[in-house]
Each structure stands twice: as structure tokens, then as C-alpha cells.
């Protein structure tokens, strides 16, 4: 299932992933430093861009969904990202009442 | 590939061709899941403390767009070339695999050189780990990532040596694939350091 990477003659998937990653990096830089959007909007947009770029790495470069363990691997990563969001957002939210 | 035992589907890439290989790769994904959570705790610490700058410099005073962008582009490109290395491996081309691994390695060394220079520059500006809660959590988060990259560089050198000695086999292919997963993962972490540490630090 989806492991036939050796049939392709040109690494299109990698090239597209790389170009999109570059675009997202520069777009995030522009949104943060030059767009003049309100702070909250800037944060939402750049975090969204980061998540898209991380998914690009996982699917286009790391082939997380391939092999017979693809589903388990994907679920494992989704779950770890869920824990990460809970830890980070939860800590920031709860500590704003303390600090 | 003389000693390789082909018990599985020949159409599969080498790294998935045995049960052991597939379990090793699955095990490494589970390790990466744990790494995500490790970095999440460091991000949480940093984001709670980054405005506690005490009498030291703030993120806005310290961070330089140009330096951060150079580091980001070096690591992003290295992740791309590492992907190309696996692409070549799956076409059975040892020379292409080695060449792209070497490029990846050089870009990784470039990244770590810029990061060390950045840290030295901060220390000269009087921004050390002891200066403020912001800087303690900054150096721990970004330094832990840098330590991972340094480890990855050493690991990849050993894998290249093994490829030169043993060629492309079911075993070496699995090892190359796993180090590539580790390398891409380092870029995934950097995307969030770039966004939540540097970009956020420059706007808040």
C-alpha cells in the first residue's frame, strides 16, 4: 500500500513538499513582521502555517502512512501531537492566571 | 544484497522487506511520538516564561531575522536532500544515496555552526542561561534541539561508513531509513521553534 516510491523517475513529491515548505516559511515571516495584522490573528495564522508545514514533512518526506504499519504510525503521531497541544496550550492557559 | 533473506514481497522497498525491519521502523515512530511530547514540555516551559525577562534583554532586542532565516533554510533544505537520499535508495542507487546523505550532513553541520555562533553572540551580549527565566527556557529548548541535530550528524556519519563497507542491503536500508526519519523529525521541531520562539519573539 503506497510503497511503490521506486517506480517514479523524478522526486516530484519531495520537490512539491520542499517548495510548499519554503512558501509557508516566507509567508509566516511576512505575516509576523510586515502584514500589520493584530497580534492574535498573527499568532493563529503562523501556528496554522507551522502545522501545515509539519504535516507536509510527515506525509511528503517521512511517508508516515506507508507500509503495513501506516495506520498505527499515523495514529501514533496524531496522538502525540494531541498530547503536545494539550501540554503547551494547557500550560499557557493555566499559567496566565498565576504569573 | 547477497546475505539478504527475501521472505517478503519483492516489490516492497528494501527497508520494509522483513518483519524485523517493519517492527524496527514502527518502534522508531513510537520513539518519535515520545520525542514530540518531550519537546512539548520544553515549549510549554518557554511559552509560559518568555516574557519574564528580568533585567536581561527581551526576545525582540535579541533575535535577528537574518540569522534565524539562514538557520531555517539550511535545516529545511537538509530535510529535502535527506528525502532525496531515500528516493535514490529506493531506486537502488548507492552512489546517489551517499551523495545526498553527504549534502544533508554538510547542511546539518552548517546549521549547527550558525546556531553555535548565534549562542556565542548572545552570551557576548550578556544574555546567558543565568540572565532570566526567558533565556534559561530559551537555551534549554533550542539547545536540546541543537543537541539532537549534533547527535544526528554523528549518527549519519556512522551510517555512511557502514554503507561504504557493506553496501545497500536489507539491514543497511532499514538503518538509513530510520536515520532519515530522525532527521526529518528535527526539521519538524525546528518549524515550531522558528514559529513559536523566533517569529513570536519578534512580534510580542
Amino acid at each position: 500500500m503506497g510503497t511503490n516510491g521506486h517506480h517514479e523517475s523524478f522526486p516530484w513529491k519531495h520537490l512539491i513538499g520542499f517548495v510548499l515548505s519554503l512558501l509557508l516559511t516566507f509567508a509566516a515571516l511576512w505575516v509576523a513582521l510586515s502584514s500589520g495584522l493584530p497580534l492574535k490573528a498573527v499568532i493563529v495564522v503562523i501556528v496554522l502555517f507551522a502545522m501545515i508545514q509539519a504535516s507536509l514533512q510527515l506525509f511528503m518526506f517521512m511517508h508516515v502512512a506507508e507500509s503495513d504499519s501506516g495506520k498505527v504510525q499515523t495514529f501514533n503521531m496524531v496522538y502525540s501531537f494531541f498530547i503536545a497541544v494539550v501540554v503547551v496550550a494547557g500550560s499557557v492557559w493555566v499559567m496566565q492566571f498565576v504569573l | 544484497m547477497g546475505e539478504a533473506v527475501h521472505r517478503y514481497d519483492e516489490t516492497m522497498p528494501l527497508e520494509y522487506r522483513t518483519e524485523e525491519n517493519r517492527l524496527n521502523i514502527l518502534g522508531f515512530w513510537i520513539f518519535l511520538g515520545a520525542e514530540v511530547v518531550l519537546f512539548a514540555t520544553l515549549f510549554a516551559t518557554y511559552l509560559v516564561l518568555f516574557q519574564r525577562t528580568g533585567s536581561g534583554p527581551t526576545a525582540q532586542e535579541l533575535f535577528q531575522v537574518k540569522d534565524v532565516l539562514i538557520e531555517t533554510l539550511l535545516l529545511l533544505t537538509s530535510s529535502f536532500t535527506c528525502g532525496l537520499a531515500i528516493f535514490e535508495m529506493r531506486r537502488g542507487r548507492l552512489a546517489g544515496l551517499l551523495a545526498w546523505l553527504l549534502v544533508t550532513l554538510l547542511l546539518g553541520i552548517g546549521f549547527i555552526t550558525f546556531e553555535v555562533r548565534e549562542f556565542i553572540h548572545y552570551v557576548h551580549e550578556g544574555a546567558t542561561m543565568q540572565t532570566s527565566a526567558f533565556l534559561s527556557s530559551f537555551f534549554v529548548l533550542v539547545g536540546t534541539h541543537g543537541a539532537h541535530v549534533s547527535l544526528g550528524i554523528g549518527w549519519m556519519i556512522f551510517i555512511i561508513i557502514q554503507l561504504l563497507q557493506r553496501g545497500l542491503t536489507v539491514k543497511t536500508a532499514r538503518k538509513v531509513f530510520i536515520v532519515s526519519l530522525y532527521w526529518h523529525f528535527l526539521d519538524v521541531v525546528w518549524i515550531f521553534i522558528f514559529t513559536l520562539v523566533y517569529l513570536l519573539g519578534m512580534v510580542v
Side-chain angles (χ1 to χ4, degrees):
Chain A
M1 35 188 277
T3 49
N4 53 352
H6 55 300
H7 291 317
E8 298 163 29
S9 55
F10 189 81
W12 284 113
K13 231 177 152 180
H14 294 94
L15 195 67
I16 292 166
F18 182 53
V19 171
L20 286 176
S21 295
L22 281 174
L23 287 176
L24 283 165
T25 300
F26 283 103
L29 194 69
W30 181 80
V31 168
L33 300 182
S34 320
S35 70
L37 286 171
L39 184 60
K40 273 193 179 163
V42 168
I43 294 171
V44 170
V45 172
I46 61 176
V47 169
L48 195 71
F49 282 1
M51 285 177 169
I52 298 170
Q53 209 185 322
S55 315
L56 280 177
Q57 292 277 332
L58 284 165
F59 287 98
M60 307 287 252
F61 290 174
M62 296 166 84
H63 318 281
V64 63
E66 75 180 12
S67 105
D68 290 350
S69 316
K71 276 188 188 137
V72 184
Q73 288 168 185
T74 308
F75 182 78
N76 173 67
M77 290 319 279
V78 170
Y79 182 59
S80 73
F81 274 100
F82 167 72
I83 297 286
V85 170
V86 171
V87 168
V88 174
S91 301
V92 170
W93 174 70
V94 95
M95 289 307 282
Q96 70 178 343
F97 299 105
V98 183
L99 289 172
Chain B
M1 298 201 293
E3 93 282 13
V5 185
H6 294 187
R7 280 179 290 145
Y8 284 87
D9 194 352
E10 291 273 336
T11 62
M12 289 283 234
L14 280 174
E15 63 270 23
Y16 290 121
R17 225 171 266 179
T18 67
E19 181 84 43
E20 187 190 350
N21 275 12
R22 267 183 258 172
L23 288 175
N24 282 161
I25 291 166
L26 171 62
F28 198 77
W29 276 107
I30 293 169
F31 165 74
L32 289 184
E35 288 272 280
V36 168
V37 177
L38 163 79
F39 277 101
T41 63
L42 299 179
F43 273 107
T45 311
Y46 174 80
L47 288 171
V48 165
L49 294 173
F50 85 103
Q51 283 169 307
R52 308 279 130 178
T53 51
S55 53
T58 64
Q60 215 157 17
E61 289 164 349
L62 214 54
F63 297 155
Q64 303 285 325
V65 185
K66 199 185 113 205
D67 296 352
V68 178
L69 201 58
I70 290 171
E71 287 168 31
T72 303
L73 293 180
L74 280 172
L75 203 62
L76 178 59
T77 309
S78 84
S79 187
F80 172 58
T81 57
C82 186
L84 294 181
I86 298 302
F87 181 81
E88 287 296 303
M89 181 171 84
R90 290 189 171 176
R91 298 171 82 191
R93 294 188 185 177
L94 181 61
L97 165 61
L98 283 167
W100 285 120
L101 279 184
L102 215 58
V103 174
T104 307
L105 200 60
L106 291 175
L107 290 167
I109 292 168
F111 168 84
I112 213 73
T113 310
F114 270 92
E115 185 161 84
V116 169
R117 275 181 42 183
E118 182 194 335
F119 281 10
I120 290 171
H121 174 70
Y122 290 164
V123 171
H124 281 307
E125 302 256 301
T128 72
M129 261 188 113
Q130 288 88 2
T131 308
S132 63
F134 153 57
L135 285 162
S136 300
S137 55
F138 168 81
F139 279 115
V140 171
L141 169 58
V142 183
T144 303
H145 176 268
H148 275 75
V149 176
S150 308
L151 186 88
I153 289 169
W155 185 359
M156 206 176 273
I157 290 171
F158 285 124
I159 295 293
I160 289 173
I161 293 170
Q162 211 167 70
L163 277 173
L164 289 170
Q165 288 174 337
R166 303 180 190 175
L168 201 52
T169 69
V170 166
K171 276 190 182 173
T172 54
R174 178 243 296 162
K175 291 179 186 182
V176 173
F177 189 73
I178 287 177
V179 79
S180 86
L181 288 182
Y182 183 76
W183 197 265
H184 292 308
F185 170 75
L186 297 178
D187 190 54
V188 171
V189 176
W190 184 261
I191 293 165
F192 288 99
I193 291 181
F194 172 71
T195 304
L196 293 173
V197 175
Y198 290 102
L199 288 185
L200 197 63
M202 288 188 275
V203 289
V204 173

